[in-house]
């Protein structure tokens, strides 16, 4: 039986999270479009977010680019948290802040 490597398991869980997030943003269901509009973003901004999330997922999936992907993903999550906090939606900041902490943990575990 092989040992499960927690740092790789965490990285792949983050990859899955960002793939799901990118799909949700690319599909642009009405709820997501309304949220972006409420926050003052242009109608096409969900596509930018989806693209950045997909790029992050791909970069995190590759060990050689994991650090860069994790930094990009951290910027996305920090931006998401700051957006909802700025608009007074404090409970909506919990998920991006938790993911940000997991990203920072992954960066720490993958350090050389």
């Amino acid at each position: 039986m092989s040992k499960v490597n927690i740092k790789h398991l965490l990285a792949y869980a983050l990859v899955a999270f960002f793939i799901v997030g990118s799909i949700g943003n690319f599909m642009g269901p009405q709820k997501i479009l309304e949220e972006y509009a409420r926050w003052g973003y242009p109608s096409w901004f969900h596509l930018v977010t989806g693209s950045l999330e997909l790029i992050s997922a791909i970069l995190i999936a590759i060990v050689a680019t994991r650090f860069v992907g994790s930094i990009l993903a951290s910027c996305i999550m920090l931006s998401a948290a700051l957006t909802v906090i700025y608009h007074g939606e404090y409970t909506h900041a919990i998920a991006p802040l938790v993911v940000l902490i997991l990203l920072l943990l992954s960066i720490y575990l993958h350090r050389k």
Side-chain angles (χ1 to χ4, degrees):
M1 186 171 185
S2 64
K3 289 170 79 175
V4 175
N5 187 330
I6 190 72
K7 69 181 186 179
H8 292 298
L9 186 62
L10 174 58
Y12 292 122
L14 290 166
V15 168
F17 174 84
F18 283 100
I19 288 173
V20 170
S22 70
I23 291 169
N25 274 297
F26 283 134
M27 291 176 60
Q30 192 61 34
K31 181 180 180 192
I32 288 178
L33 298 179
E34 289 170 358
E35 287 176 340
Y36 277 102
R38 185 175 69 244
W39 298 326
Y41 291 109
S43 62
W44 47 265
F45 199 76
H46 65 102
L47 299 173
V48 172
T49 304
S51 298
L52 291 172
E53 288 175 331
L54 183 58
I55 291 167
S56 294
I58 293 167
L59 292 172
I60 294 169
I62 302 166
V63 175
T65 58
R66 187 163 290 156
F67 178 78
V68 173
S70 296
I71 295 297
L72 176 59
S74 295
C75 291
I76 294 166
M77 290 296 99
L78 181 59
S79 298
L82 291 175
T83 294
V84 294
I85 289 169
Y86 177 79
H87 290 279
E89 301 175 25
Y90 304 110
T91 57
H92 287 111
I94 295 169
L97 290 173
V98 167
V99 175
L100 177 60
I101 290 167
L102 293 174
L103 285 160
L104 295 174
L105 175 62
S106 181
I107 290 168
Y108 175 78
L109 292 174
H110 285 91
R111 73 193 185 288
K112 299 282 182 196

